[in-house]
């Protein structure tokens, strides 16, 4: 069985963090990835684009609606 783990951080909060706090957060992400890799559980890891670059796909009444950009 495989699992997908998504980590989402609020972009405004991220930008408000100090450089050292952002570095510590990245190190935490990397530590999890190293542990998963060492356990033979890591398939792949990649950072997603910012939410501003997202395309949302929703189905309403059987119709797919595609919207560029985030839709909250």
């Amino acid at each position: 069985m495989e699992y997908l783990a998504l980590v989402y951080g609020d972009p405004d909060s991220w930008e408000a963090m100090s450089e050292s706090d952002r570095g510590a957060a990245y190190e935490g992400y990397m530590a999890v990835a190293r542990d998963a890799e060492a356990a033979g559980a890591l398939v792949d890891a990649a950072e997603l684009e910012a939410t501003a670059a997202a395309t949302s796909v929703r189905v309403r009444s059987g119709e797919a609606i595609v919207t560029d950009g985030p839709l909250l």
Side-chain angles (χ1 to χ4, degrees):
M1 182 176 292
E2 293 180 346
Y3 295 91
L4 172 68
L6 298 174
V7 178
Y8 173 79
D10 175 48
D12 293 333
S13 296
W14 183 258
E15 291 302 318
M17 293 171 72
S18 69
E19 192 67 33
S20 63
D21 286 344
R22 282 190 291 233
Y26 264 124
E27 181 50 40
Y29 301 148
M30 295 305 296
V32 171
R34 283 191 299 270
D35 290 347
E37 186 173 29
L42 182 66
V43 174
D44 195 6
E47 188 172 344
L48 298 176
E49 292 288 333
T51 56
T55 298
S56 298
V57 180
R58 290 176 170 71
V59 177
R60 298 289 185 257
S61 301
E63 181 182 350
I65 300 168
V66 179
T67 305
D68 287 335
L71 184 61
L72 301 174

